[in-house]
């Protein structure tokens, strides 16, 4: 019977934090705000942009959140076009884990706070596009932990919630899985700590991508 493994991107498949922190710092400067602490920026990776900015400056008005979000996108595009964008490396063991899951009969998907363009570029860069049957991004859905991305992924793949697992590195991913009624595996090499992942609903934790295929086979 078909099974679906849905992956977060930043902090789970790829490490894009340096680019994220730089673009956010530039957007804050444009808005006349002090530079955000990179540790705080890493913690909001996985949210859609306006929600991420709101978490960083919660006392500001929504109009400012939107302006900073637009500035972030503008700077990220500029960094990409003028060559300042650093390559977003995949975490060790990710490629082999994806291959093993495909060999084991799993269908694969992505649910990410990235844009369609950003996700497409990353998957193309690493030759992974063909691995995934469903790609859900912040361009078409509410921010995590709203379950819309998982609902859409399951709908496109034709897989029920009880046959689906969400793999991510943040509490947002774990809470989204809980809201959608799927299993959740938290990876500990990303942006939130093990305690946060468990508190948000992780069924299991994974410390090494090489062990992920076997972990997904456990009930």
């Amino acid at each position: 019977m078909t099974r679906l493994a849905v992956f977060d991107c930043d902090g789970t498949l790829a490490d894009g934090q340096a680019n994220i922190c730089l673009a956010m710092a530039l957007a804050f400067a444009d808005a006349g705000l002090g530079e955000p602490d990179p540790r705080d920026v890493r913690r909001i990776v996985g949210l859609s942009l306006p929600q991420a900015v709101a978490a960083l400056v919660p006392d500001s008005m929504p109009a400012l959140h939107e302006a900073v979000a637009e500035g972030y996108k503008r700077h990220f595009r500029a960094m990409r076009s003028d060559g300042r964008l650093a390559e977003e490396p995949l975490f060790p063991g990710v490629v082999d884990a994806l291959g093993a899951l495909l060999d084991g009969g799993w269908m694969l998907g992505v649910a990410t706070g990235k844009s369609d363009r950003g996700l497409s570029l990353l998957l193309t860069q690493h030759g992974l596009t063909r691995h995934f049957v469903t790609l859900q991004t912040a361009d078409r859905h509410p921010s995590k932990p709203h379950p819309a991305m998982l609902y859409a992924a399951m709908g496109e793949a034709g897989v029920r919630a009880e046959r689906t697992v969400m793999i991510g590195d943040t509490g947002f991913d774990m809470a989204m899985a809980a809201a959608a009624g799927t299993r959740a595996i938290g990876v500990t090499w990303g942006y939130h700590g093990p305690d946060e992942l468990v508190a948000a609903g992780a069924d299991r934790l994974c410390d090494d991508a090489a062990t992920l295929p076997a972990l997904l086979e456990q009930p």
Side-chain angles (χ1 to χ4, degrees):
M1 188 179 295
T2 303
R3 301 173 294 177
L4 176 65
V6 181
F7 288 83
D8 170 56
C9 187
D10 289 319
T12 301
L13 295 176
D15 185 2
Q17 64 185 22
N19 294 324
I20 292 168
C21 290
L22 176 56
M24 192 65 76
L26 293 170
F28 267 55
D30 286 351
L33 299 171
E35 182 174 346
D37 188 325
R39 292 171 296 183
D40 293 335
V41 176
R42 293 185 186 103
R43 288 186 55 78
I44 52 81
V45 170
L47 292 175
S48 298
L49 272 173
Q51 288 75 21
V53 176
L56 292 170
V57 283
D59 295 331
S60 299
M61 298 296 291
L64 179 64
H65 301 159
E66 292 289 344
V68 173
E70 288 302 314
Y72 175 93
K73 289 188 284 188
R74 184 174 63 254
H75 283 293
F76 210 95
R77 287 193 295 266
M79 287 161 58
R80 180 182 292 121
S81 65
D82 65 17
R84 286 181 293 149
L85 197 64
E87 179 178 320
E88 297 180 58
L90 299 177
F91 286 103
V94 162
V95 172
D96 289 342
L98 295 176
L101 288 171
L102 289 171
D103 290 343
W106 287 84
M107 299 173 72
L108 305 181
V110 176
T112 176
K114 276 186 177 295
S115 66
D116 286 330
R117 175 179 171 81
L119 179 60
S120 177
L121 286 170
L122 181 128
L123 295 180
T124 300
Q125 171 189 327
H126 293 290
L128 295 178
T129 304
R130 64 181 178 81
H131 286 56
F132 298 98
V133 300
T134 179
L135 301 174
Q136 307 302 326
T137 75
D139 285 347
R140 288 166 285 115
H141 297 289
S143 178
K144 300 173 184 178
H146 192 287
M149 282 193 267
L150 275 179
Y151 286 151
M154 291 187 288
E156 288 186 5
V159 180
R160 297 191 302 272
E162 59 267 27
R163 303 288 293 176
T164 301
V165 59
M166 177 69 204
I167 302 104
D169 68 298
T170 71
F172 313 129
D173 299 309
M174 304 300 99
M176 178 173 66
T182 74
R183 293 166 57 205
I185 291 181
V187 302
T188 60
W189 54 79
Y191 303 142
H192 286 186
D195 290 346
E196 293 173 276
L197 296 171
V198 171
D203 297 298
R204 284 187 167 81
L205 298 178
C206 180
D207 298 320
D208 182 349
T211 68
L212 188 58
L215 196 60
L216 263 65
E217 295 296 339
Q218 297 179 17

